[in-house]
Amino acid sequence: MMLLTKEMQNDMARQMTFKARDIDMAIYNALDGTMDKTFVLDSLMLYRTKDGGFAGGLYIDNYNTNTSVYQIYEAFRMMDMVGFDSKCDNELYSDIINKACNYLYNRCEMINNKWNPNVKSNDDFAHSKEFSYTKENQELFGYHPTAALLGYTLKFHKNTKAYYKKAYQASLKMIDDFMKMDNITKYEFISFNSFLNSIRDLDLFDDKIEAFEKKLVEVAEKNVSTDYSNYDAILPMDCALYISSDKLDKLKNEQLDYIVSSIASFGLWDHKRPWGYDKYAEEDSAMIKWVGAETVNNYFILKKYGRIE
């Protein structure tokens, strides 16, 4: 079993100060315990829009300065990574989740119980191919990031709040939809796993969670790949982060070893997924920004699974 050694961690901390965005540095410092997680909230404000959403490259591969559902998902994902939940009484935390959920639940239409992660104005800014405003991309994302966002809403709000109640009802419909699905996309694997983690933490849907998890494991075992160079493949971490079986656990441990072994010579992880076309020069700058973000995501996974020395 490969571990991220203390020497590797020391080198990583130094390199992050030179190469990472403020938001990624705040998350990294919160995860390693050197900084309070409230600095993550302050950093997120650099990306908040007038309507309470998020934009401007919070998710690096979309430079749109207008709010989109996917950028709100990215903000909520980061907040979840460092442990925010409804027990938090920080005023900025409350302001962020309330205004973002106002955009989601009052200003953004759900069609077939799903939000479209993209907005039409994406096409006016540099973005990777998957963030073009097309029907094909909407089908590609499917229930992502809707499922994850529903879970985060339930986790971030007290059960007396209106947004919690709206998310609860949409979650019931989403669970029913999932149980009828024969196949799910890579993106949906990520989102359904995130949702499962949220409802586990909250002890919700006790009468449905066992069947939900059983089906997610079955579908994952049929589709998982260990071809890490295939960016469209469903990798073990996409579908084994919150679910477990003998097969998935074996593949998960193989990928954890791969993550440790694939760290770049300069002490951080490179981002290797291209934008999918040669349309925007900004792809080069995005790849540089991704170094810090990729490192944060990998550090979070390695810490979660006890791979930190």
Side-chain angles (χ1 to χ4, degrees):
M1 181 175 76
M2 301 184 69
L3 296 175
L4 194 69
T5 66
K6 286 184 170 61
E7 182 180 355
M8 294 165 76
Q9 293 172 62
N10 291 335
D11 192 25
M12 186 176 296
R14 279 194 307 273
Q15 293 298 326
M16 284 288 288
T17 61
F18 299 126
K19 294 182 169 67
R21 300 178 299 169
D22 289 346
I23 182 63
D24 298 319
M25 198 70 217
I27 297 170
Y28 181 80
N29 286 336
L31 290 174
D32 75 1
T34 59
M35 187 180 289
D36 191 272
K37 66 184 181 183
T38 55
F39 284 99
V40 173
L41 302 177
D42 295 324
S43 298
L44 282 174
M45 292 300 291
L46 297 172
Y47 299 90
R48 196 161 80 158
T49 57
K50 291 181 180 179
D51 56 20
F54 292 88
L58 179 59
Y59 185 78
I60 295 167
D61 290 347
N62 185 358
Y63 279 53
N64 193 348
T65 58
N66 300 295
T67 297
S68 66
V69 169
Y70 201 90
Q71 297 284 15
I72 293 176
Y73 158 72
E74 185 68 355
F76 280 12
R77 184 187 70 84
M78 292 172 170
M79 291 168 66
D80 184 57
M81 283 176 72
V82 297
F84 282 105
D85 59 29
S86 63
K87 294 188 287 292
C88 180
D89 58 3
N90 181 284
E91 289 185 10
L92 182 55
Y93 164 80
S94 298
D95 185 64
I96 286 173
I97 62 168
N98 283 318
K99 288 182 178 175
C101 284
N102 177 59
Y103 178 89
L104 288 173
Y105 291 92
N106 295 329
R107 301 184 59 180
C108 196
E109 183 182 15
M110 292 183 89
I111 298 175
N112 296 325
N113 205 46
K114 304 180 192 76
W115 286 300
N116 188 338
N118 294 320
V119 289
K120 193 171 289 188
S121 57
N122 280 4
D123 294 341
D124 298 328
F125 298 84
H127 62 279
S128 62
K129 194 172 183 179
E130 63 193 354
F131 290 101
S132 295
Y133 188 73
T134 65
K135 182 180 178 181
E136 290 75 20
N137 277 344
Q138 189 170 4
E139 292 173 351
L140 174 70
F141 281 102
Y143 253 114
H144 183 55
T146 300
L149 282 168
L150 294 176
Y152 293 147
T153 304
L154 294 170
K155 182 181 277 192
F156 291 166
H157 289 278
K158 297 185 184 303
N159 60 12
T160 55
K161 299 297 184 180
Y163 297 130
Y164 179 100
K165 294 174 182 177
K166 289 183 177 183
Y168 190 95
Q169 292 303 315
S171 295
L172 289 172
K173 177 67 167 60
M174 184 270 293
I175 292 171
D176 288 343
D177 287 348
F178 169 71
M179 296 306 295
K180 297 172 186 174
M181 296 169 70
D182 295 324
N183 293 294
I184 57 180
T185 70
K186 171 185 176 173
Y187 299 88
E188 288 175 319
F189 271 115
I190 296 168
S191 222
F192 286 136
N193 273 283
S194 175
F195 175 78
L196 180 63
N197 182 56
S198 295
I199 63 175
R200 272 185 184 161
D201 287 349
L202 298 167
D203 291 326
L204 288 176
F205 307 114
D206 289 343
D207 59 330
K208 298 178 182 292
I209 190 171
E210 184 176 346
F212 186 97
E213 182 173 356
K214 181 181 179 181
K215 177 165 182 176
L216 197 56
V217 168
E218 289 174 353
V219 179
E221 287 186 338
K222 293 177 183 176
N223 291 277
V224 71
S225 169
T226 53
D227 181 4
Y228 306 129
S229 64
N230 181 357
Y231 306 118
D232 294 318
I234 297 163
L235 301 181
M237 281 304 147
D238 295 330
C239 54
L241 200 53
Y242 304 119
I243 59 178
S244 179
S245 73
D246 289 343
K247 178 180 179 180
L248 292 178
D249 289 348
K250 179 178 182 293
L251 295 172
K252 173 191 70 181
N253 284 316
E254 289 178 8
Q255 189 177 359
L256 288 167
D257 284 343
Y258 172 79
I259 290 172
V260 176
S261 67
S262 64
I263 193 167
S265 59
F266 56 86
L268 306 178
W269 279 275
D270 278 321
H271 182 68
K272 299 176 181 178
R273 183 183 180 114
W275 275 19
Y277 48 31
D278 298 324
K279 193 172 180 180
Y280 298 104
E282 287 86 348
E283 180 178 3
D284 293 336
S285 62
M287 286 297 191
I288 296 171
K289 293 175 184 177
W290 263 112
V291 168
E294 196 76 56
T295 298
V296 165
N297 291 337
N298 285 333
Y299 184 81
F300 169 76
I301 289 171
L302 293 174
K303 184 176 181 180
K304 178 178 177 63
Y305 285 110
R307 293 299 194 98
I308 305 291
E309 188 177 61

